[in-house]
Amino acid sequence: EGLGRARKRVMADAGVTSAGATSSVARGIRSLLRRPEASIILVILALCAFLSVANPRFLSLDNFMNIARNYSDIGIGAVGMTLVLIVAGIDLSVASVMALGGLVAALAMTSWGLPIPIAILLGVTAGAVIGLVNGLLVQRLRLPPFIATLGMLGVARGIVVGTTSGMGVSGLPKEFTAIGQGYIGPVPIPVIVMVAVALVVGLFLAYHLWGTYIFSIGGNETAAILTGLPVARVKIFVYVVCGLLAGLAGVLLVSRVGVSLPGQSLGYELQVIAAAVIGGVSLTGGRGTVLGAVLGAMIIGLIQNALVLLQVPPYWQQAFIGGIIILAAVVDMLRQRRG
């Protein structure tokens, strides 16, 4: 009789444990589905299903890799933009910085006779310098980020057009264009670079002390100042990183296209900001993830691929991207109110 009671007690405890584990798993799944990335993935799956019906060749690995390659520069730029948006800033100069970084790298190889690694480093450095100027204008001179970066948009684009007199720079080494057009296995090199950038920045935000500072400043800058956080240095840092990554994206774009053009990346700032906002980055600061930014860039790539398949004129594509930004901003506002 004692053994029977003990067996019943053990079975009851096991039932409670099993029910508790099931409840915990259910809560975990609900929490995961509430994350912005989950809804983005669902949208991506829906777009893939639609595009596979519109064009059966869409689901091929080569097509996926080509889409990822074409929008890897947007993804890299969106990662940098994510940092700026988290601290409640914005960088409108990112597309012009991409053009400038690509031009510096192209001139370094064709006109200055420098090795490819040095040329790439100079292109990335040019982007970081513009980012540093943006950060100093915003933090030291207290200019609104919109005004400061809008001015740098014109400055950087003017340098590109003035330096080249409106002409492109061609004759790039094959070893350089192989970076943007080549593969490592089945994966394009620009996609690998984008993933590497996302991993480094994502780990930085998650585990470095300054990652915590970035979210704290974006959440409540006044409280961050009162608690003694290095607000000025952190905000300048995120603008430098944004410029650096924009320069890197511009170098990869020139490598992929095979020529540096004055109008290159024109209008990309809209797509970069859209990718970050679609990815769940709050326009008011304090929230956002690198994974969301990369997924947002993927959605933009898929949407533009869909517009091409539907034979929508390219002139209307910017209108669709602008509408997506507005929709994503509305969703972000509703999410904050619900929170």
Side-chain angles (χ1 to χ4, degrees):
E1 184 178 353
L3 289 175
R5 285 197 299 269
R7 184 179 299 132
K8 289 180 181 178
R9 189 180 304 112
V10 170
M11 293 178 65
D13 291 343
V16 171
T17 303
S18 176
T22 303
S23 177
S24 178
V25 170
R27 285 196 301 270
I29 293 175
R30 286 195 298 269
S31 176
L32 183 62
L33 291 176
R34 282 196 294 266
R35 293 181 61 86
E37 293 87 349
S39 58
I40 298 171
I41 292 173
L42 292 177
V43 172
I44 290 175
L45 293 176
L47 283 172
C48 289
F50 168 76
L51 292 174
S52 63
V53 174
N55 188 343
R57 291 179 297 177
F58 172 80
L59 291 178
S60 66
L61 178 62
D62 289 342
N63 188 54
F64 273 118
M65 290 296 101
N66 284 332
I67 293 175
R69 183 209 302 273
N70 291 341
Y71 292 94
S72 57
D73 44 13
I74 300 296
I76 293 173
V79 171
M81 185 64 70
T82 295
L83 298 181
V84 174
L85 291 175
I86 289 176
V87 297
I90 195 167
D91 187 354
L92 298 178
S93 68
V94 62
S96 297
V97 174
M98 290 171 66
L100 180 62
L103 174 64
V104 170
L107 289 176
M109 289 178 284
T110 58
S111 299
W112 307 337
L114 295 176
I116 293 175
I118 301 299
I120 294 174
L121 180 61
L122 287 176
V124 174
T125 302
V129 169
I130 299 295
L132 176 60
V133 175
N134 282 332
L136 292 174
L137 290 174
V138 170
Q139 192 57 36
R140 297 303 184 188
L141 297 183
R142 301 296 180 182
L143 291 180
F146 182 89
I147 299 299
T149 58
L150 181 62
M152 288 308 298
L153 178 154
V155 170
R157 185 67 65 178
I159 293 174
V160 171
V161 177
T163 302
T164 61
S165 298
M167 305 296 291
V169 178
S170 57
L172 302 175
K174 292 183 178 179
E175 295 81 3
F176 175 70
T177 56
I179 298 174
Q181 301 171 8
Y183 293 80
I184 294 180
V187 184
I189 294 176
V191 176
I192 295 175
V193 175
M194 178 184 68
V195 172
V197 167
L199 283 174
V200 170
V201 177
L203 290 173
F204 171 82
L205 282 177
Y207 297 106
H208 197 278
L209 182 60
W210 274 37
T212 304
Y213 289 171
I214 289 171
F215 284 103
S216 300
I217 293 169
N220 191 327
E221 183 172 340
T222 302
I225 294 173
L226 292 175
T227 54
L229 299 186
V231 174
R233 284 185 291 161
V234 171
K235 293 185 76 171
I236 292 173
F237 169 77
V238 298
Y239 278 101
V240 170
V241 173
C242 185
L244 184 149
L245 293 181
L248 175 61
V251 171
L252 288 175
L253 177 60
V254 170
S255 176
R256 174 167 61 87
V257 177
V259 63
S260 174
L261 299 171
Q264 213 156 38
S265 69
L266 193 64
Y268 271 33
E269 64 276 350
L270 184 64
Q271 299 186 40
V272 168
I273 295 172
V277 174
I278 291 170
V281 181
S282 175
L283 290 171
T284 57
R287 187 176 69 249
T289 65
V290 170
L291 175 60
V294 173
L295 292 175
M298 186 182 300
I299 283 185
I300 290 178
L302 291 172
I303 289 175
Q304 294 201 346
N305 192 280
L307 295 176
V308 171
L309 290 177
L310 295 174
Q311 299 181 347
V312 176
Y315 312 106
W316 288 100
Q317 293 184 12
Q318 290 290 83
F320 278 91
I321 299 300
I324 291 171
I325 292 179
I326 294 174
L327 179 62
V330 171
V331 171
D332 176 62
M333 180 185 66
L334 295 176
R335 187 187 300 121
Q336 290 189 54
R337 289 180 178 177
R338 186 170 62 247

